[in-house]
Amino acid sequence: MGVLTGRTALVTGASRGIGRGIAERLARDGARVAVHYGRNETAAKETVAAIEAAGGAAFTIGVELGLPGDVEALWAEFDRHADGLDILVNNAGIGNTRPIDEITEQEFDRVFAVNVKAPFFIVRHGMARLRDGGRVINVSSGLARTAVMPDNMAYAMTKGALDVFSRDLSKVLGPRAITVNSVAPGIIDTDNTAGLLYGTEGGWAQAAAISALGRVGETADVADVVAFLASGGARWVTGSWVDATGGSLT
């Protein structure tokens, strides 16, 4: 039996990239996983199929975040499949924004609606469903602590806000033995970073050189950290910002 057997997890933005890696890892540890997606139903079903092929259990939830009624719709769909939640991973987000001299107010509002407002209200409406002793894990970014990519400023700002949310929420949910932490990836090989890694000459080597470990991160590198925080072994870790950048901030 896995360390998360009997528990239910919800991972937002789990159809691809880091979210998919997290969903598959939690399922491998025994959790039944709600695989949330915004638009790509096919990819979400592929994630579920991969989980089931490995002997796990999962189901999809399709709701586009950042729109009116999004959180209510997400929880209504979740309630059709489960009667409570043990692990919430707020991973869904817009990963890139244009420089300050190009971004529009509409784009700015959109990234904050998806990356900050949605996680806040997912928790706000999900607290009654979250069982005592549960886990909330917010996927942040190393860019919340470094100005290495200033053209991605608005995105980095959302992750800074998410970190404050994690810190303060840990005090709110602590009396129920629910831990809350942020996990901050660095550059991870996903379709979201394909332009950086594969679209420019020497992009991969430059990205690898940023890490103290000399390589580009993989989704499993982040998923393993999330899995630890979701486990009983992390029961005394809360309100923390966990650096999962491979030493990119050193």
Side-chain angles (χ1 to χ4, degrees):
M1 295 179 66
V3 296
L4 300 180
T5 296
R7 299 192 178 186
T8 299
L10 166 60
V11 182
T12 65
S15 63
R16 58 190 180 88
I18 292 174
R20 175 170 177 165
I22 292 170
E24 291 184 351
R25 174 57 201 270
L26 296 182
R28 191 161 66 248
D29 284 351
R32 181 175 180 241
V33 182
V35 175
H36 163 265
Y37 67 94
R39 299 178 182 177
N40 197 336
E41 180 180 10
T42 299
K45 288 184 175 179
E46 289 173 354
T47 301
V48 170
I51 288 172
E52 292 177 342
F59 57 92
T60 62
I61 296 178
V63 175
E64 186 172 354
L65 300 177
L67 302 175
D70 55 354
V71 172
E72 292 84 351
L74 182 149
W75 285 118
E77 185 65 17
F78 177 87
D79 291 342
R80 292 182 57 247
H81 297 275
D83 60 2
L85 181 68
D86 301 285
I87 302 160
L88 170 60
V89 182
N90 283 309
N91 166 77
I94 296 173
N96 294 287
T97 51
R98 295 194 294 172
I100 188 171
D101 56 350
E102 297 179 15
I103 193 170
T104 66
E105 284 192 44
Q106 183 180 18
E107 291 169 332
F108 185 91
D109 290 344
R110 174 67 177 162
V111 71
F112 269 84
V114 175
N115 292 15
V116 182
K117 184 178 179 180
F120 183 95
F121 283 98
I122 286 172
V123 172
R124 165 68 180 84
H125 291 281
M127 288 192 297
R129 297 169 172 87
L130 193 60
R131 298 184 180 99
D132 291 357
R135 303 283 187 266
V136 177
I137 302 160
N138 296 316
V139 178
S140 179
S141 170
L143 293 183
R145 302 288 178 98
T146 179
V148 69
M149 296 180 182
D151 283 349
N152 212 5
M153 183 187 303
Y155 165 78
M157 289 170 65
T158 67
K159 295 305 183 178
L162 196 65
D163 293 341
V164 172
F165 177 49
S166 297
R167 182 196 67 195
D168 290 7
L169 185 64
S170 69
K171 292 286 190 176
V172 174
L173 297 181
R176 296 175 54 196
I178 297 171
T179 67
V180 186
N181 295 285
S182 286
V183 173
I187 299 175
I188 305 298
D189 183 14
T190 69
D191 56 352
N192 189 54
T193 58
L196 172 66
L197 296 174
Y198 304 103
T200 59
E201 184 176 355
W204 185 278
Q206 292 172 20
I210 293 174
S211 166
L213 299 175
R215 67 174 176 86
V216 173
E218 302 173 354
T219 57
D221 295 324
V222 181
D224 287 351
V225 175
V226 172
F228 166 70
L229 291 174
S231 74
R235 63 192 175 278
W236 200 236
V237 180
T238 194
S240 292
W241 189 86
V242 182
D243 183 338
T245 69
S248 296
L249 304 182
T250 56

